[in-house]
C-alpha cells in the first residue's frame, strides 16, 4: 500500500512539473495617455492604452503568468484591474483604487503580476479609478493549456466583441459634477461594439464594425460587457447563439435567440453561419428595469458573409426583448448551468461555515435646505446592508498587511442592521444609510454562503455584484424577500453556474457559495458604476491560513505611494 501511495505521489509530482514546464511568462507594456478620437460628429481626447479604444488584448494559456508594466502618461492617478482573474495570494496586483493599491501617479510606472490559475475562456481588464474604465479596457483571452482543448468542437475562428459606450462629455468631469451636486450622472450618448456606435447614430455608419465570415463555419464570439451602467440584450439577425462559457468557466450549452449580459460579465458564444450569404445586423440594446435614467439607444455591427452576392437593400434586424422586459432577462439567466464534467468539475460547498445576508439598496444622504440635486433635494447614495462605503486615502490591503490603525474597521455585519419588508412598502425608514469603511472578515477555508437581497429602497433595479479574487457558484435566485426556511430547498447544488459577477434581481435575491481559499483583501461591489461611486461596496478580507503557502505573498518592492494624485 505504501509503495502504491509513493508511486501515486511521483505521478502527481511529474504531472505538476509538466504543467509548470509548459506554463509561460509573458510581458506587456501598457502606456496610458490621452489620444483624440472622433465619434458622433465631434472629436475629443480620451484616456487610452497604447493609443487604442478598446484594447489591447492580453492572450495567455491557462496557467501562464503575465507581467504588465503600466506607464502612466495621463493627467491623473489611475489603477488597472484584471477582472475575474483569481490572483492566488496576490492581491497586490489586483488593482482597485485605495482598496489594494493607491493610484499610479502621472509620469510613473508600476509592474503588476497577473497569475492565471483556474480560469479558462474570456475575461477582461479595465481601469479601476473613478470612471476611467469607460475608455480604458480590453479583453483577456485564456486559451486551454497546451495539449488540451475546448470541451466542444474547435471553432473555425474566434472574434472578440466588446460592448462599450461613448460620452460626448469628459467622463471624469461627468462623475465629478454628479458627486458634487448629489444628482444622477449624465447617461452615455451612444453604445458601441468594438468601439464603434454603428448605423443608427449620427456620423457613424462609415465606421460600423463588420465581422466578416465564411459561410458554413462555426465561430467563437468572446463577448464582454464593459458598459458603465446598463445591462444589455444582444442578438444577431437570423442566427442562433449557443452559449458555452461565462466568466471564464464552461457551461452546458444553451442555444438562444438573445443573451442578457450585465456590466462586468463575459460570455463565450458559438455562432454557425448557416444563412444565405448576405449581411445581418449584430445588435445590443439596454435592459433597464428601473426608474433611474439610462441610455435607451441601440448599437449595431454587421455580420458580413464573404463572397460575391448582391448586398441586401435592407439588412435584417434581430428581435430583442424590450428594455424593461425583466421576464426575458430572467428567463435567460435562469438557464445557466456549469458544465460539471470530469475535466471541468464543480466544487460547490455543502456544509456552510459562514452565512452572510446582505441587503442591496439605492439610498439618499440628507442635504440641509434641500440643497442637493437628488430626490427631495438630497444626495443620491447607495449601500450594502445600509452602510454606504467610504473609500479611504490609504489602501486597505496595506493597512491590513501592516496593521495600520484607523483606515478601516472589520465589523461589516453578517446580517442587516434590522429586518423589514425589503421588497414591499419600505417607507422612509431605510432611505438614509450609515457611512463607513467596513470590511467583512472570514477565516481561511471557510465555506461561505452570501445571500444578496435586493430592496425596494430608492430606485430598485437589477444589481450586478462582482467579487474580486474569486469565482463563486450561483446556487439559487428568486423574487421577493428571501425565506431562509423554504428558498434553500430550491438550491442547485449539482451544476450551478460559476461566475465572478451575478445580477441581483430587482426586488429579489440571489445566493452564492464559495470556499474562502484565497487569502487577501478583495473588493466586493456593484458593477453599475454610478452605484459603486455612491457606496454600494464593501471589502472581503480572507485571513491567512497556517502556512506560507496559504498566506498572502509579501508585497513587491515597489507599490504606488498613497498621496493625492
Amino acid at each position: 500500500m505504501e509503495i502504491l501511495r509513493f508511486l501515486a505521489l511521483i505521478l502527481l509530482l511529474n504531472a505538476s512539473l509538466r504543467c509548470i514546464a509548459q506554463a509561460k511568462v509573458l510581458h506587456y507594456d501598457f502606456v496610458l495617455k490621452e489620444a483624440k478620437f472622433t465619434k458622433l460628429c465631434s472629436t475629443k481626447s480620451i484616456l487610452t492604452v497604447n493609443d487604442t479604444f478598446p484594447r489591447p488584448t492580453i492572450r495567455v494559456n491557462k496557467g501562464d503568468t503575465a507581467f504588465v508594466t503600466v506607464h502612466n502618461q495621463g493627467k491623473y492617478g489611475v489603477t488597472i484591474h484584471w477582472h475575474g482573474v483569481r490572483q492566488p495570494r496576490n492581491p497586490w496586483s489586483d488593482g482597485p483604487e485605495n482598496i489594494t493599491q493607491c493610484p499610479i501617479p502621472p509620469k510613473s510606472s508600476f509592474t503588476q503580476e497577473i497569475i492565471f490559475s483556474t480560469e479558462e475562456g474570456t475575461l477582461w481588464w479595465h481601469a479601476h479609478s473613478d470612471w476611467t474604465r469607460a475608455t480604458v479596457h480590453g479583453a483577456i483571452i485564456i486559451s486551454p493549456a497546451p495539449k488540451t482543448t475546448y470541451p466542444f468542437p474547435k471553432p473555425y475562428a474566434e472574434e472578440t466583441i466588446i460592448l462599450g459606450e461613448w460620452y460626448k462629455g469628459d467622463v471624469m468631469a461627468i462623475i465629478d459634477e454628479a458627486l458634487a451636486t448629489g444628482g444622477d450622472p449624465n447617461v452615455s450618448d451612444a453604445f458601441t461594439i468594438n468601439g464603434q456606435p454603428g448605423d443608427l447614430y449620427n456620423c457613424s455608419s462609415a465606421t460600423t464594425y463588420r465581422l466578416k465570415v465564411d459561410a458554413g463555419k462555426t465561430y467563437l464570439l468572446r463577448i464582454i460587457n464593459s458598459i458603465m451602467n446598463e445591462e444589455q440584450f444582444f442578438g444577431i439577425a437570423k442566427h442562433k447563439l449557443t452559449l458555452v462559457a461565462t466568466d471564464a468557466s464552461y457551461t452546458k450549452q444553451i442555444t438562444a435567440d438573445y443573451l442578457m449580459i450585465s456590466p462586468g460579465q463575459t460570455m463565450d458564444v458559438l455562432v454557425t453561419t448557416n444563412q444565405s450569404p448576405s449581411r445581418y445586423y449584430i445588435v445590443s440594446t439596454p435592459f433597464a428595469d428601473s426608474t433611474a435614467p439610462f441610455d435607451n439607444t441601440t448599437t449595431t455591427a454587421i455580420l458580413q458573409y464573404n463572397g460575391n452576392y448582391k448586398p441586401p437593400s435592407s439588412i435584417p434586424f434581430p428581435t430583442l426583448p424590450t428594455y424593461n422586459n425583466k421576464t426575458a432577462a430572467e428567463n435567460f439567466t435562469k438557464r445557466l448551468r456549469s458544465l460539471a464534467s470530469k475535466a471541468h468539475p464543480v466544487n460547490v460547498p455543502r456544509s456552510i461555515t459562514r452565512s452572510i445576508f446582505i441587503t442591496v439598496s439605492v439610498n439618499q444622504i440628507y442635504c440641509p435646505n434641500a440643497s442637493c440635486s437628488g430626490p427631495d433635494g438630497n444626495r443620491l447614495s447607495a449601500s450594502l446592508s445600509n452602510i454606504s462605503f467610504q473609500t479611504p486615502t490609504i489602501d486597505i490591503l496595506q493597512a491590513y498587511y501592516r496593521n495600520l490603525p484607523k483606515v478601516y474597521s472589520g465589523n461589516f455585519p453578517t446580517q442587516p442592521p434590522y429586518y423589514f419588508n425589503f421588497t414591499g412598502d419600505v417607507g422612509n425608514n431605510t432611505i438614509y444609510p450609515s457611512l463607513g469603511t467596513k470590511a467583512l472578515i472570514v477565516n481561511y477555508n471557510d465555506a461561505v454562503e452570501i445571500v444578496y437581497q435586493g430592496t425596494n429602497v430608492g430606485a430598485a433595479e437589477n444589481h450586478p455584484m462582482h467579487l474580486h479574487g474569486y469565482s463563486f457558484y450561483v446556487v439559487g435566485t428568486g423574487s421577493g424577500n428571501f425565506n431562509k426556511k423554504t428558498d434553500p430547498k430550491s438550491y442547485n447544488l449539482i451544476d450551478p453556474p460559476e461566475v465572478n459577477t451575478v445580477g441581483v434581481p430587482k426586488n429579489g435575491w440571489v445566493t452564492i457559495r464559495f470556499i474562502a481559499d484565497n487569502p487577501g483583501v478583495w473588493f466586493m461591489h456593484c458593477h453599475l458604476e454610478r452605484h459603486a461611486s455612491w457606496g454600494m461596496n464593501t471589502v472581503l478580507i480572507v485571513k491567512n491560513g497556517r502556512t506560507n503557502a496559504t498566506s498572502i505573498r509579501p508585497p513587491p518592492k515597489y507599490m504606488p505611494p498613497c498621496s493625492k494624485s
Side-chain angles (χ1 to χ4, degrees):
M1 182 63 71
E2 291 299 324
I3 292 175
L4 290 175
R5 288 177 180 171
F6 178 74
L7 290 174
L9 181 62
I10 292 296
L11 290 172
L12 182 62
L13 180 61
N14 285 338
S16 300
L17 289 173
R18 283 197 302 272
C19 289
I20 293 171
Q22 291 174 348
K24 294 178 294 183
V25 176
L26 300 100
H27 296 268
Y28 290 85
D29 282 284
F30 279 15
V31 180
L32 282 91
K33 62 181 178 179
E34 296 284 325
K36 289 185 177 181
F37 281 76
T38 300
K39 298 185 192 300
L40 306 182
C41 314
S42 62
T43 300
K44 74 167 191 173
S45 182
I46 63 172
L47 187 65
T48 66
V49 173
N50 300 351
D51 294 315
T52 58
F53 168 75
R55 285 181 292 275
T57 297
I58 291 177
R59 297 179 184 273
V60 298
N61 287 95
K62 182 177 181 179
D64 287 349
T65 297
F67 287 89
V68 180
T69 300
V70 181
H71 308 275
N72 186 6
Q73 297 179 9
K75 301 175 183 177
Y76 36 77
V78 70
T79 66
I80 304 292
H81 167 56
W82 320 98
H83 185 112
V85 181
R86 181 176 167 84
Q87 289 282 47
R89 303 172 47 231
N90 186 34
W92 305 103
S93 287
D94 189 49
E97 181 176 11
N98 289 9
I99 304 299
T100 61
Q101 71 172 81
C102 288
I104 305 166
K107 299 181 181 179
S108 70
S109 301
F110 176 50
T111 299
Q112 294 173 256
E113 180 183 7
I114 301 97
I115 303 168
F116 296 94
S117 54
T118 59
E119 309 88 1
E120 186 174 326
T122 307
L123 294 173
W124 65 302
W125 60 267
H126 59 81
H128 215 303
S129 305
D130 297 312
W131 277 28
T132 47
R133 81 167 175 88
T135 59
V136 179
H137 57 259
I140 301 174
I141 296 176
I142 310 160
S143 297
K147 300 182 180 179
T148 66
T149 189
Y150 304 112
F152 47 82
K154 186 176 180 179
Y156 175 71
E158 303 179 7
E159 187 63 41
T160 301
I161 302 289
I162 300 180
L163 308 179
E165 83 264 79
W166 187 259
Y167 291 81
K168 289 183 179 178
D170 181 278
V171 179
M172 295 293 281
I174 288 171
I175 185 57
D176 285 347
E177 179 184 3
L179 294 177
T181 63
D184 258 308
N186 292 344
V187 301
S188 54
D189 295 288
F191 295 120
T192 60
I193 295 176
N194 286 354
Q196 303 301 335
D199 288 354
L200 304 185
Y201 298 96
N202 292 335
C203 307
S204 299
S205 59
T207 58
T208 296
Y209 174 73
R210 293 170 184 262
L211 173 57
K212 296 183 178 181
V213 297
D214 292 333
K217 306 294 184 180
T218 296
Y219 291 80
L220 175 62
L221 303 186
R222 300 178 179 274
I223 304 170
I224 299 165
N225 186 350
S226 73
I227 292 169
M228 301 285 279
N229 290 304
E230 285 90 5
E231 295 159 303
Q232 295 283 297
F233 290 116
F234 176 92
I236 303 176
K238 297 189 177 182
H239 289 75
K240 294 289 187 180
L241 308 174
T242 299
L243 182 76
V244 293
T246 183
D247 287 359
S249 180
Y250 292 115
T251 65
K252 290 182 171 65
Q253 293 189 14
I254 297 172
T255 300
D257 293 320
Y258 66 90
L259 312 176
M260 202 293 281
I261 181 169
S262 294
Q265 290 182 326
T266 66
M267 293 185 178
D268 291 359
V269 174
L270 298 176
V271 175
T272 300
T273 51
N274 54 10
Q275 298 299 305
S276 299
S278 187
R279 298 173 184 178
Y280 301 87
Y281 269 127
I282 303 169
V283 173
S284 185
T285 61
F287 165 58
D289 58 350
S290 172
T291 57
F294 69 99
D295 182 348
N296 193 13
T297 62
T298 298
T299 181
T300 61
I302 295 174
L303 183 75
Q304 181 171 315
Y305 281 63
N306 295 319
N308 295 320
Y309 56 86
K310 183 180 180 180
S313 57
S314 177
I315 300 175
F317 209 88
T319 300
L320 296 180
T322 55
Y323 74 88
N324 59 354
N325 193 334
K326 180 182 177 182
T327 300
E330 292 179 350
N331 284 346
F332 175 78
T333 56
K334 285 181 177 179
R335 296 174 66 191
L336 297 180
R337 296 286 186 274
S338 282
L339 186 58
S341 66
K342 184 177 180 180
H344 302 279
V346 300
N347 182 27
V348 187
R350 299 297 184 102
S351 299
I352 300 301
T353 59
R354 194 70 185 275
S355 295
I356 300 157
F357 188 93
I358 298 176
T359 54
V360 184
S361 305
V362 174
N363 307 86
Q364 299 174 30
I365 295 174
Y366 175 74
C367 290
N369 304 316
S371 55
C372 295
S373 299
D376 301 319
N378 290 326
R379 176 181 300 279
L380 282 164
S381 178
S383 68
L384 296 178
S385 291
N386 218 41
I387 302 165
S388 186
F389 186 81
Q390 305 294 287
T391 303
T393 55
I394 296 174
D395 67 270
I396 294 176
L397 174 58
Q398 180 184 171
Y400 171 68
Y401 192 80
R402 304 188 188 284
N403 294 313
L404 303 179
K406 299 181 180 180
V407 176
Y408 72 95
S409 63
N411 59 347
F412 186 91
T414 56
Q415 301 292 318
Y418 60 96
Y419 279 72
F420 56 96
N421 182 6
F422 300 119
T423 58
D425 183 4
V426 298
N428 293 328
N429 296 327
T430 56
I431 286 180
Y432 304 111
S434 63
L435 308 179
T437 308
K438 298 186 177 184
L440 175 64
I441 301 178
V442 302
N443 292 321
Y444 180 81
N445 245 12
D446 266 348
V448 179
E449 176 178 287
I450 299 178
V451 177
Y452 293 109
Q453 173 69 64
T455 77
N456 204 30
V457 179
E461 64 181 297
N462 189 300
H463 298 284
M465 295 301 300
H466 172 50
L467 175 59
H468 292 216
Y470 285 89
S471 291
F472 47 79
Y473 294 103
V474 181
V475 299
T477 187
S479 59
N481 297 334
F482 177 75
N483 185 311
K484 64 180 181 181
K485 291 185 179 180
T486 59
D487 284 329
K489 295 178 182 178
S490 67
Y491 284 176
N492 174 13
L493 302 179
I494 305 300
D495 57 357
E498 185 179 10
V499 299
N500 61 60
T501 306
V502 64
V504 181
K506 176 181 178 179
N507 288 331
W509 57 271
V510 67
T511 302
I512 69 170
R513 289 185 176 186
F514 60 93
I515 299 294
D517 57 359
N518 190 14
V521 171
W522 307 108
F523 203 29
M524 179 193 297
H525 63 97
C526 180
H527 226 278
L528 299 181
E529 208 64 26
R530 69 184 190 281
H531 292 171
S533 297
W534 294 340
M536 194 177 283
N537 322 308
T538 189
V539 171
L540 176 72
I541 296 179
V542 179
K543 292 182 179 179
N544 287 336
R546 297 182 178 180
T547 66
N548 287 337
T550 57
S551 300
I552 299 176
R553 291 171 43 179
K557 293 180 180 180
Y558 171 79
M559 290 292 293
C562 290
S563 60
K564 292 184 179 180
S565 54

